[in-house]
Amino acid sequence: MSASGFLAIDWGTSNFRGWRIGSTGRIEASVELPFGVSRLDPSQIPRRFEQEVRPALNGEDLPALMCGMVGSNIGWRAVDYVRCPASLADLARGVATLADGAAPVRVVPGLLDGAPDVMRGEETQIFGWLALHPECARGSHLVCHPGTHSKWARVEDGRIVRFVTAMTGELFDVLRRHSVIGRGTDAENEVEFSAGLDAAGGGDALSARLFATRARVVSGRASADAAPSYLSGVLIGSELGGLPRLIGARSGETVHLVGSPELRKRYAFALARLGWDFEEEEGDRAVIAGLRALVDQGALA
Amino acid sequence: MSASGFLAIDWGTSNFRGWRIGSTGRIEASVELPFGVSRLDPSQIPRRFEQEVRPALNGEDLPALMCGMVGSNIGWRAVDYVRCPASLADLARGVATLADGAAPVRVVPGLLDGAPDVMRGEETQIFGWLALHPECARGSHLVCHPGTHSKWARVEDGRIVRFVTAMTGELFDVLRRHSVIGRGTDAENEVEFSAGLDAAGGGDALSARLFATRARVVSGRASADAAPSYLSGVLIGSELGGLPRLIGARSGETVHLVGSPELRKRYAFALARLGWDFEEEEGDRAVIAGLRALVDQGALA
């Protein structure tokens, strides 16, 4: 750990979260700001960080370690991916410097799976989850990180060996806003969400399962208001039906669910309904633990 | 056939096509207009038909038979679905009157499959295909009607016994315009389209196969320009991998492909690549044949 502490930053496409970590490793301050990199002109990013984030965290003189899309071609600067299989040490070796000086800014690289598949940000949460769960340091484990682009990763003996992405959240969002099938209210309807999960068909023929959202409404089988809940069920059910198989999940294996409380709630409900064992970990806690672990590996040295 | 001929109308969500059919059954005039029902205020629909379509077809005094979304709640008037299994006679019995008088306007109902699934317009093309292919009047046949909402139908002894819809075209359109994965040019790239077909994985885990469109670009495996062709390949490949199974296709069965020339071209390429036998029929020819067959069944009587 840096003797003087550091700024831990999770800067994604839509959201920004930052924490000041003290020299003893304690969280001393935190900030959440509405400027994901997709909402900023890339040329503004360094200035917004120096002029808004540092003062908010009272961290003008601290080194910063960032993860997420800030290290992509829509962020501060594109940083090369590290290839799977990748250990925490491999990731630390790929850390790049965005700004030098007394209070440097560094960024964690994303991971590349040969399939191909890519992630930026989730790798830090996965290694953070691993740091928080030393009992998983050995052996083979299955991690699910739900989101706009949900990631399923296979972790073996402390390395991320492969992963696959389902664009569940983005499909929900574009269909909700731009298609004939997702019109309705945002109110959660557990009965319709469950019906969607049950109709997902083990992950096959998603383009047909999706259309049922509309067919149920126009045939009078369901109310239009509940369509988004059903749609969410079909999409999450399809992810849970298809992705574990793609990543080589074993029957009866525990899913380690890492993410935000609201997404964990939906996925936990779905996993339970579909008969999976699972353990939950809070996403923010995981990202902080991951950035700390990288600092311990010399990412700010 | 009506002694005086009739107007045959295919009025869909996006497009309008009409023909004047003479007393001998010949096509005497045709018109294509840019007003699908989704582009019109429903209250305008009757007036647009009487004041623009009839003069364009020189058919002021002829009865009209329409099919498509004009018979839905976004069209002239919502007409009840006919339930599968449905014969041509069942469909003719469900024809509803939209406007009465010396030159009446009637509309073909859509079909409802209990799954549930719905179609409006494709049923007329399927019965038209059947009228054009008397060799298919007996036995079991598989029809694919590609489109915004692709329909796969099982036809047995002249009846549509069940069908299923894949929202392939709509997914392509919303992802192309509103997601991170579909940016690129509309130029067709056969190599990328083929790569997408091959990556579709037999129809499973579509939300992961779709994300590969982006992963291939950001990992440098493919050019961003070609992403729409790859995306189209994944979506059509997923439909061909999943839908035939859902509708109970037999291995080696011939797919009867009914639709527009540009969609038939893509689907024919994909079907050939994936090892399916297929026969093609032109969509306009099928819709006219279907409306004629319904008139012969007394739909305008």
Side-chain angles (χ1 to χ4, degrees), chain A residues 260-279:
Chain A
S260 68
E262 60 275 24
L263 280 176
R264 286 209 318 276
K265 186 179 156 216
R266 288 201 168 204
Y267 276 68
F269 181 92
L271 284 164
R273 188 172 180 93
L274 299 175
W276 288 86
D277 285 331
F278 61 94
E279 302 277 353

Side-chain angles (χ1 to χ4, degrees), chain A residues 69 73-74 81 83 112-118 149 151 164-168 170-171 174-175 177-181 202-212 214-216 218-219 221 235 238-239 242-243 245-246, chain B residues 69 73-74 81 83 112-118 149 151 164-168 170-171 174-175 177-181 202-212 214-216 218-219 221 235 238-239 242-243 245-246:
Chain A
M69 290 294 283
N73 62 1
I74 61 165
Y81 293 103
R83 253 179 195 283
L112 172 68
D113 180 285
D117 210 324
V118 290
H149 297 157
K151 307 290 181 184
V164 63
T165 304
M167 50 186 295
T168 304
E170 184 167 4
L171 279 172
V174 298
L175 291 171
R177 289 189 293 131
H178 302 291
S179 85
V180 297
I181 71 167
D204 76 326
L206 177 60
S207 58
R209 316 293 181 183
L210 289 172
F211 186 74
R214 175 160 171 81
R216 293 173 83 250
V218 298
S219 68
R221 210 68 81 82
L235 286 166
S238 178
E239 178 184 332
L243 273 280
R245 201 166 47 225
L246 281 190
Chain B
M69 290 294 282
N73 62 2
I74 62 166
Y81 294 104
R83 259 183 189 279
L112 172 69
D113 179 286
D117 209 324
V118 290
H149 297 159
K151 307 290 180 183
V164 61
T165 303
M167 48 185 295
T168 303
E170 183 166 6
L171 279 171
V174 298
L175 291 170
R177 289 188 293 131
H178 303 292
S179 87
V180 298
I181 70 167
D204 77 327
L206 177 60
S207 59
R209 315 293 180 182
L210 289 172
F211 186 73
R214 175 159 171 83
R216 294 173 84 248
V218 298
S219 68
R221 209 69 79 80
L235 285 166
S238 178
E239 177 184 332
L243 273 279
R245 203 166 46 229
L246 281 190

Side-chain angles (χ1 to χ4, degrees), chain B residues 92-118:
Chain B
R93 270 192 295 274
V95 165
T97 299
L98 298 177
D100 235 335
V105 179
R106 296 200 172 153
V107 64
V108 181
L111 288 189
L112 172 69
D113 179 286
D117 209 324
V118 290

Side-chain angles (χ1 to χ4, degrees), chain A residues 126-148:
Chain A
I126 294 168
F127 283 114
W129 160 80
L130 206 53
L132 293 167
H133 297 271
E135 74 279 10
C136 295
R138 293 281 146 210
S140 185
H141 306 279
L142 183 63
V143 180
C144 168
H145 185 283
T148 300

